[in-house]
Amino acid sequence: MKKAIVLLILFAWAPVALAAHPPLTQTSNIPGLKRVYSEVIFSNSKRLLSTLTSAFRNRVDMSSPLAMEDIQCAMAKLGAGFAQDMMLNPPKGLSPDDIKGLPDAVAHYRALEEQFCRPPPGASVNRGEELVKLFIKRNTEGTSQAKSITKKYESRAEQLADDGSSVSAGQIALAVAIAVAILAKEAVPVLP
């Protein structure tokens, strides 16, 4: 009887376990991205997360180290932002195949957000998500750079909508925040 219960639990749990994505690492394979792009996006996201942790330590509780869920949530959100920025402002030299793969990359990062952007056990909020919200607010509110980039990205998002890709206002805001970070040299551009 015990064996049957254990097998039942394993079979019931297997689809959930198989559906989960592994945490992001420097060597993660991101669908739609060449390895070099995923590595640059990972490095940028990691560096930016470190900057945000320092910049907002008085606004987000940093009395204990970030949990794995906090880190992975922020990395997924920032990764999606970098990929979205590439979609809305394709770097020169990016091949048409690379551009076609970007929606798959964004979708992968969004799936990681779904998986990791919940409060860690024993916490009321996901601090990684809070850090990214503050980052977006800091980089998009009241700057002339952000306003001009937003107009450009909204126009590009309309073109993408005609091709069947939808980009939400929140996704545009994150991509704008990433673009401003690149201009401020908080991150490096993703170049082919």
Side-chain angles (χ1 to χ4, degrees):
M1 180 68 175
K2 286 182 184 179
K3 200 175 200 180
I5 292 173
V6 169
L7 287 174
L8 180 63
I9 290 172
L10 285 175
F11 285 122
W13 190 255
V16 174
L18 292 175
H21 296 285
L24 285 169
T25 65
Q26 183 76 30
T27 59
S28 292
N29 287 321
I30 307 299
L33 282 181
K34 289 181 181 172
R35 167 78 64 185
V36 66
Y37 300 140
S38 64
E39 288 175 357
V40 172
I41 288 174
F42 180 86
S43 296
N44 272 335
S45 298
K46 187 175 178 181
R47 181 181 327 142
L48 199 50
L49 177 57
S50 177
T51 300
L52 298 177
T53 302
S54 297
F56 298 121
R57 69 180 168 272
N58 294 330
R59 301 204 39 211
V60 175
D61 178 19
M62 292 294 170
S63 59
S64 61
L66 292 175
M68 188 268 299
E69 292 88 349
D70 297 320
I71 294 167
Q72 288 296 316
C73 173
M75 294 291 287
K77 284 187 168 296
L78 294 171
F82 279 104
Q84 197 77 61
D85 178 60
M86 291 172 66
M87 271 180 70
L88 295 172
N89 187 26
K92 287 180 173 57
L94 205 63
S95 76
D97 286 340
D98 293 334
I99 293 171
K100 285 180 186 173
L102 290 171
D104 293 336
V106 171
H108 182 77
Y109 285 116
R110 297 284 178 221
L112 288 168
E113 285 180 42
E114 288 293 318
Q115 181 176 331
F116 291 111
C117 290
R118 296 185 184 107
S124 60
V125 296
N126 185 298
R127 294 180 291 169
E129 186 169 32
E130 294 300 308
L131 288 168
V132 174
K133 285 179 186 177
L134 290 168
F135 165 68
I136 293 169
K137 186 174 182 177
R138 178 192 77 181
N139 280 19
T140 60
E141 288 189 356
T143 68
S144 59
Q145 276 183 328
K147 288 178 185 175
S148 66
I149 294 170
T150 300
K151 285 181 185 175
K152 177 182 175 181
Y153 284 13
E154 285 173 343
S155 172
R156 177 76 175 129
E158 288 175 14
Q159 292 171 354
L160 290 173
D162 293 340
D163 295 337
S165 297
S166 66
V167 183
S168 71
Q171 291 169 333
I172 291 172
L174 179 55
V176 169
I178 293 291
V180 171
I182 290 170
L183 291 173
K185 301 201 184 328
E186 287 182 315
V188 297
V190 181
L191 300 172

